[in-house]
Amino acid sequence: MSGKIAGRLAMFLLGWTLSAVAADERTLPTEKDFFGEMPIVLSVSRLPQTLDETPGAVTIIDRDTIRLSGARDVPDLMRLVPGFQVSNSFESGSPLAVYHGGFGDFANRIQVLIDGRSVYSAFFVGSAGLQSIALDDIERIEVLRGSNSAAYGARAFLGVINIITRDPGETHGVRVSKTAGERGVSDSLVQVGWGSDTANFRLSGSRRGDDGLTSIYGYDHFTNVHYIGDIDQMNGPYGKNHIGVFNFRADLRPGISDTLELRVGTSDQYSGTGNNFGPGNPQRERRIASAYVQADWRRNLSEDADFLATYSHTDEAYTDNFVYAPTPQLIIDSGGNASNDALLLQHSFRLGKDLRIVWGGELRREAVRSTPLYNSPLLTTDFTRLFGNLEWRLATTLLLNAGGMLERSSLTGSNFAPRLMLNWHAAPDHTLRIGVSQAYRPPSMFEKEADVRFVVNNILLGEGYVARGNVVPEKIRAHEIGYLGEIPALRLSADVRIFKEDIRNFIRVLNYLDTQPSKPQVAKDFVNADNFSIQGAECQVKFRPWRDTQVIFNRANIRIDSLDLGTSTSAPKHASTLALFQKLPGGVDLSVIHHVAGAMSWQRAGNLLQAMDRTDVRLAMPFRIGATEGEIAAVVQNLGSPYNDFNNTFYFWRRAHATLTLKF
Amino acid sequence: MFFCRLFWLLLGLLLACAPVRAAQPSIVVVTSERSASYDEVISALGDKLAQGGYSAADLAILTPDELRKQAGLLPRLWIALGTAAAQILLNSESKAPQLHLLQTRHSFLQISTRHRQYSPVSAIFLDQPITRQLHLLRLAFPERKRIGLLLGPVSQMQEPAFRNAATDLGLSLDSSLVERGESLYPSLQRLLDGSDVLLAVADPAVYNANTLQNILLSTFRMRVPVVAFSPAYVKAGALLALYSTPAQIGNQAGKVALTVLQGSPLPAPQYPADFMVSVNAHVTRALGLSLNEVELTARLRRIDMAP
């Protein structure tokens, strides 16, 4: 069925390219070239706010930085963003990248968008979306540091990772790359782009995989020695993983004021989990599969106004089950399916030269089908969102951003998230920013409706998560003061953010005795358990002392004043990154990235990770054979000794790998 | 009521027939089209002639179709508006001098040399002199010395002239040719890697409504300002444009026409004397620049006037 649709789509798109035949190239210019109307390209919604006028702190990771970093996936890149916590572990499904606190196994307080489509999982595997894109397809990543619900909804509670893919007009030709190295590292990419002036296409298929983290699960009682486990001997975290990703994008221009962007993609992640120390969590492989379609239609209404309509549909399937060894009739399953449909309409316009307004609405339906997790065949949640932001230039040096989002969820009711931010250009190249925002994060489907019971022959053997549904939305009120400065003579730029984020009704897991069954059972529930503040400061400095040298430094000091040990250690007190990108003679690129972070935990009291440091080094040489451009790169991730990641028994060992890239 | 309408209708008919009965006009303007830009040229031309004491009856305005139907016109000066009109006039056997407007210098030279000429022909070009364009770049971006030109099969012939002028002004110039039938992007990418500013040169094979999106998006992404040749480009998202308005050209043509009517020979083909600079304020801000179109125009005029 879907194959037939894909076939028709391909025929349609092929027809489009053939019809877009270029005009006669020999034509002399006429007065029409001077007087003719032109499409509005850098329209009101396409012209981004400059960094010193955005209502919040933003870190941009561009294509060059992605390439030079030696990163293999998006979470790797987030170490370059102050205030982020990153794990490479697949233990909870997918590697995590969170801002201001790894409050649990899933990153459910940060929104992830790829070309405007939320890849937040309606199921409970929060960060899987970060793996659904090949790094080579990315133009840049804009990380909005700080609560951004006023513009991006409840899930942007603490921040947003906004991934923008490359314009298919810029990726014509064939690009292939292959990476191989230690610890099973094996990545490959094929990217094919083609098109004309009015229609451009890109198809990219990629695979990445490695053996995952290593562990010291092994403990020899006779010699009293911890030993480094070997995943082949099945005594480590069974973290072997491989991910296949396919993405297609078509940008079409049906008329002078219209653009139509179509996207289709799939991602298929297999990862190992569990251990061989007990029957409750044996070693096994899980699968997270997803597929989506997305259509964006942008119509330019005038020089000062345009309109965007976006529709997307995403399907997900999660497979994870095992036989509980002591009771072989019992199969512990946490699998299921989820889907979501989203329709967004957005109108952007200017009123005079001092006022820019964006407003719109979104309808979103999320459906989850998982009898093992919800004891119900189908649960749906409908979201209705109305949003607006007004950017008002009060004076040449003063800009006010006032925005808000009204969000209604059929599961938890309505709430309103406002934001006010004032940017003051105190002097040329020096901007001060002050603002306040408030937002709510309604409990997720799982936090509100989980119902996991282990039943064999109608006998209840035990319970897992059985939510009582009393949980109410978490609330955040964030205050921030920011500074953004540039010293052009020194080619230096700095960004400082001082923040206080007060969280109320924080949702946490709590064990309780479920007395409903005839034989009471210990079950887990989500409750509003805590009020606390996240306070601190972070800075980011970019320095380009010479043309071929770039230095990036960032540091974050974060204090979470919760009485709960797991919560208060959810972010390290100090973390910093120093990156050096140096162009050497012969076009050789040298990158050195050093990252240090204090002790932290992923919301696991008693599972504190030691302070870590990690150094990544990359050396790459470009070459050319005839018309073929290429690059050969050698990367070592974590040059030094292994460090703790995700769990205090998991370690990230040195990984050296080499990449060959060819472009025809 | 009915008679009232009939009266106005008859009066209208009478007036419409009036030019046919009028004496030979001194100037016949053949316009490729009747649309806003052409009408602005005609209106400014008419104003200038009126200042010289000529009346509306001295000026006839015809489209190519209307010209074909009207044989036996013997004006003292022909004015062609646009390429289509120019080609028709070049094929006519009238001995009266011709002034061509709304053509680029390159198009004028190409078209006028292709035809057998029965009469003196001159022009006021539509494009701007190269040194004026380069002076604007120096004024607007004193720090940006590397100029990129994206050229097509037609505009590449102007490359040596741009190169010489750039050398004279201490600027470096890099150009990239969009091959026939090839996608524009690789050439653009190659060019932008080594350019601080992109100077657009009219060539429909390179700059047209279909390619503009790629060009403006790519340059904006790489933070390379685009300096174009028409205000429509500034509206679309180019940072700057240097151009002459139809009124400015009509006014200059009026001055030339007056000298010809007074018996002087047709002057040599010339560039437009007056011009405008347009700035896209939103793009200026987004690129972190600071430009003022009034000030730029004034400063560029001062340079232009200097001997």
Side-chain angles (χ1 to χ4, degrees), chain A residues 247-324:
Chain A
N247 278 301
F248 172 74
R249 173 172 168 183
D251 282 19
L252 312 171
R253 243 170 309 138
I256 195 158
S257 355
D258 298 285
T259 52
L260 183 64
E261 295 172 10
L262 303 172
R263 295 172 177 83
V264 185
T266 63
S267 97
D268 213 351
Q269 310 183 25
Y270 293 87
S271 62
T273 187
N275 53 56
N276 58 354
F277 295 101
N281 186 20
Q283 291 187 344
R284 64 197 185 273
E285 190 177 60
R286 297 182 289 210
R287 178 180 180 213
I288 304 168
S290 72
Y292 73 92
V293 289
Q294 179 184 355
D296 295 355
W297 171 52
R298 193 176 266 113
R299 150 131 320 173
N300 189 249
L301 304 171
S302 78
E303 204 179 336
D304 291 315
D306 56 25
F307 173 77
L308 168 74
T310 293
Y311 168 76
S312 71
H313 173 84
T314 309
D315 278 321
E316 293 174 90
Y318 182 66
T319 314
D320 179 13
N321 52 59
F322 60 88
V323 175
Y324 186 68

Side-chain angles (χ1 to χ4, degrees), chain A residues 269-441:
Chain A
Q269 310 183 25
Y270 293 87
S271 62
T273 187
N275 53 56
N276 58 354
F277 295 101
N281 186 20
Q283 291 187 344
R284 64 197 185 273
E285 190 177 60
R286 297 182 289 210
R287 178 180 180 213
I288 304 168
S290 72
Y292 73 92
V293 289
Q294 179 184 355
D296 295 355
W297 171 52
R298 193 176 266 113
R299 150 131 320 173
N300 189 249
L301 304 171
S302 78
E303 204 179 336
D304 291 315
D306 56 25
F307 173 77
L308 168 74
T310 293
Y311 168 76
S312 71
H313 173 84
T314 309
D315 278 321
E316 293 174 90
Y318 182 66
T319 314
D320 179 13
N321 52 59
F322 60 88
V323 175
Y324 186 68
T327 317
Q329 304 96 309
L330 176 65
I331 293 168
I332 297 188
D333 189 354
S334 43
N337 298 297
S339 67
N340 69 64
D341 288 273
L343 174 70
L344 173 119
L345 304 176
Q346 181 179 301
H347 179 215
S348 318
F349 62 100
R350 290 191 195 99
L351 276 179
K353 60 184 189 12
D354 299 325
L355 202 58
R356 176 156 93 158
I357 295 168
V358 180
W359 71 288
E362 186 183 359
L363 295 174
R364 187 178 173 87
R365 166 165 287 190
E366 297 183 347
V368 181
R369 287 166 215 86
S370 172
T371 307
L373 295 188
Y374 297 104
N375 199 17
S376 164
L378 172 68
L379 290 170
T380 55
T381 318
D382 289 315
F383 296 91
T384 314
R385 293 170 178 159
L386 269 175
F387 56 87
N389 186 65
L390 178 145
E391 185 191 323
W392 185 13
R393 199 168 298 281
L394 301 167
T396 34
T397 56
L398 212 54
L399 186 85
L400 176 76
N401 274 281
M405 181 177 286
L406 182 66
E407 190 168 32
R408 206 190 79 80
S409 150
S410 62
L411 190 67
T412 54
S414 306
N415 56 60
F416 179 63
R419 173 175 59 194
L420 273 178
M421 189 74 69
L422 194 65
N423 293 39
W424 175 42
H425 305 304
D429 300 321
H430 298 276
T431 301
L432 287 168
R433 186 180 64 229
I434 183 160
V436 59
S437 65
Q438 182 172 299
Y440 295 86
R441 183 185 76 88

Side-chain angles (χ1 to χ4, degrees), chain A residues 67 70-72 136 175-181 185-189 618-623 630-636 656-662:
Chain A
R67 183 176 60 88
R72 289 177 55 231
D136 291 78
R175 185 187 178 93
V176 293
S177 91
K178 176 72 202 165
T179 300
V185 168
S186 172
D187 302 347
S188 41
L189 166 92
R618 178 180 186 268
L619 203 60
M621 193 179 74
F623 62 85
E631 187 191 63
I632 184 144
V635 176
V636 182
H657 57 261
T659 303
L660 174 70
T661 306
L662 295 173

Side-chain angles (χ1 to χ4, degrees), chain A residues 121-162:
Chain A
S121 171
F123 213 72
F124 68 102
V125 278
S127 287
L130 290 175
Q131 302 294 330
S132 67
I133 178 109
L135 289 185
D136 291 78
D137 285 355
I138 299 176
E139 174 64 34
R140 67 179 188 282
I141 303 174
E142 297 174 350
V143 183
L144 313 183
R145 289 149 43 215
S147 186
N148 243 295
S149 299
Y152 296 95
R155 278 154 190 174
F157 195 67
L158 289 172
V160 180
I161 299 175
N162 191 13

Side-chain angles (χ1 to χ4, degrees), chain B:
Chain B
M1 196 64 192
F2 171 77
F3 288 105
C4 187
R5 275 191 196 166
L6 189 67
F7 168 76
W8 284 114
L9 189 70
L10 288 173
L11 187 70
L13 276 173
L14 199 67
L15 287 174
C17 297
V20 179
R21 295 187 287 110
Q24 276 288 349
S26 311
I27 298 174
V28 173
V29 175
V30 182
T31 177
S32 304
E33 260 180 44
R34 291 308 300 252
S35 60
S37 306
Y38 303 86
D39 286 349
E40 270 179 60
V41 178
I42 295 163
S43 152
L45 173 70
D47 290 350
K48 198 75 209 166
L49 290 174
Q51 285 172 23
Y54 290 88
S55 73
D58 294 307
L59 189 66
I61 295 129
L62 302 173
T63 62
D65 281 344
E66 289 164 345
L67 180 69
R68 256 173 242 129
K69 289 174 201 153
Q70 289 215 11
L73 282 169
L74 292 167
R76 290 167 64 195
L77 175 68
W78 293 95
I79 294 181
L81 295 194
T83 313
Q87 280 170 327
I88 286 163
L89 281 187
L90 285 170
N91 284 327
S92 88
E93 294 183 4
S94 165
K95 294 281 184 291
Q98 300 183 7
L99 178 64
H100 290 194
L101 306 181
L102 309 188
Q103 286 192 71
T104 64
R105 178 175 181 271
H106 183 76
S107 298
F108 172 75
L109 295 177
Q110 290 282 312
I111 294 171
S112 60
T113 50
R114 248 185 246 162
H115 291 82
R116 195 155 47 101
Q117 290 187 10
Y118 298 92
S119 60
V121 177
S122 187
I124 297 168
F125 306 132
L126 185 52
D127 50 340
Q128 303 294 316
I130 290 173
T131 44
R132 187 183 291 162
Q133 297 180 47
L134 297 182
H135 274 302
L136 172 65
L137 296 184
R138 280 219 312 197
L139 284 179
F141 320 106
E143 306 289 318
R144 297 174 189 247
K145 305 267 186 225
R146 300 180 303 168
I147 295 162
L149 286 184
L150 189 63
L151 300 172
V154 171
S155 50
Q156 68 164 315
M157 291 174 225
Q158 299 179 55
E159 206 254 4
F162 270 104
R163 195 168 288 283
N164 291 338
T167 312
D168 290 347
L169 289 176
L171 300 167
S172 81
L173 190 123
D174 191 8
S175 69
S176 190
L177 180 67
V178 181
E179 298 285 354
R180 291 184 71 177
E182 195 193 80
S183 158
L184 172 142
Y185 181 71
S187 315
L188 180 63
Q189 200 58 32
R190 212 160 40 234
L191 186 66
L192 293 183
D193 282 339
S195 301
D196 299 327
V197 52
L198 181 74
L199 179 60
V201 180
D203 185 336
V206 179
Y207 292 96
N208 59 55
N210 288 330
T211 57
L212 193 62
Q213 176 153 349
N214 275 346
I215 294 169
L216 290 182
L217 288 178
S218 298
T219 49
F220 185 76
R221 220 170 273 137
M222 299 186 71
R223 307 185 72 78
V224 175
V226 177
V227 178
F229 46 83
S230 122
Y233 280 71
V234 168
K235 228 169 117 179
L239 181 73
L240 276 178
L242 169 64
Y243 59 94
S244 297
T245 63
Q248 287 169 333
I249 289 171
N251 185 50
Q252 190 174 344
K255 287 181 194 163
V256 171
L258 286 174
T259 62
V260 172
L261 295 179
Q262 280 155 15
S264 304
L266 204 55
Q270 54 191 266
Y271 277 107
D274 206 358
F275 53 83
M276 299 272 281
V277 176
S278 273
V279 172
N280 185 318
H282 307 295
V283 175
T284 305
R285 187 175 291 137
L287 289 175
L289 298 168
S290 162
L291 295 170
N292 179 316
E293 58 187 28
V294 178
E295 189 198 315
L296 274 177
T297 311
R299 288 176 65 193
L300 190 56
R301 279 189 186 139
R302 276 203 294 278
I303 291 174
D304 223 55
M305 308 266 200

